[in-house]
Each structure stands twice: as C-alpha cells, then as structure tokens.
Amino acid sequence: MSKQSSGKRYSAVALAAPKQRRMDDSMNAPNFVAFPCRNQATMPSNLLVSPNRVQLSFEELKCFEVVDRQFEPWGVRFRNCIAIRPSNPAFPPHSGTTVLMAAPKNGWLEATFPHWVRSLKAFVTSSQRLLLSVYNSDNELLAQIEIPEPNLAGIDSPIPPNKELLIEAPNIYRINFCAFDGQFTVDDLSFEF
C-alpha cells in the first residue's frame, strides 16, 4: 500500500511473503538491544544510540507498568501504552513473555521519535483490523499499512499471530497503531535511524 503526501511517494511494506520484502542491507544488520531506563535523573540528555538499528527489549518491564519514557534515551517515547504478560493464549508474545498493549484507552498506541527514523518493524497481534500509520514532524501522513482482519492465535485466519510489519519512509517522527476499539499487542519493536 502506498500513500501520496506532498507530491512525494513513500512505500509501506508488509512482510507477508518473501517476494514482498524490500529491505536494504542495513535492515539485516545486527540490532542494538535497548533496555528500559527507570531513573529519569540519570538519563543522558543526548541520544545514546550509535548503531543504525535499535530493537527494544520489553522483558525488564513490570506487568501492567505504564510505558512512556523508559526508552527515551534510545530515541522513542510512548503514549497510551502498558506492558503486559498475556494470559490470553490468543495474544502470544513473539519472543520472551512481555509485550506492549494499548491502555488505558483501547484501540490505539502511539510512539514519537525526537530524532526521526526511516523505518520500523514490529510484530502485531490484533482482535480487529489494525492500521499502522507513520507521520512526519508536520503531522503529515507518510505511509500506512494494515492487518485487514483479526490475527489472533487459535482462530481461522490466513494471517498468523505476531504479523511482522515493516514500514519505511523518510523522516518518521510519530507512529500510531489503531485497531478501532480492538485489543492488540506489539512485540519486538525496532527502528532504524
């Protein structure tokens, strides 16, 4: 799915099949794994990330912990987000035991990047159709990708749980996951500068 914005064409790629992959060599580069930083007073004022690709590890987050600034030193801040360890087998984690979920409001989760990124990848399981939208710093829609129907574990869906989504566009400042009042989980979120 491609969107037009300001006369420029950007693409969004869902990794459903190998023929749809459009990844450059840097997307295959090793990830820098970023853990949450809990002490705001000791957070560095500048970005700690020197590698191009950062993968967030949610495993050290407490169950039901509100997630907002814990990953700010690594270039991302969240809104309407908690960490959970799913007890419902319909929402299996992609790796480990902890995932992100939209809360306290159902249906949307947002992340912002103070230093723009050019791609991001996440593994998503949703009870409803889900849209992943990316915006620039002027709040212009750059690209969008969707999971067109529920992909819970244990249901008869052609889309497996933990659907790998990849979206690429220059100058991504904000991302929004929206499941239209549904429940969804996000795991193994990574992004590239």
Side-chain angles (χ1 to χ4, degrees), residues 128-184:
Q128 299 289 330
R129 173 180 177 247
L130 179 129
L131 283 176
L132 170 57
S133 305
V134 299
Y135 301 86
N136 66 17
S137 61
D138 294 326
N139 207 32
E140 297 171 324
L141 179 67
L142 298 175
Q144 216 169 41
I145 192 168
E146 75 173 330
I147 299 176
E149 62 185 74
N151 67 327
L152 301 172
I155 67 168
D156 187 23
S157 172
I159 305 167
N162 290 303
K163 173 72 174 155
E164 184 179 34
L165 300 178
L166 170 68
I167 198 161
E168 299 173 323
N171 304 318
I172 298 170
Y173 170 75
R174 179 174 64 91
I175 64 171
N176 182 279
F177 294 90
C178 182
F180 307 103
D181 282 333
Q183 297 288 335
F184 63 90

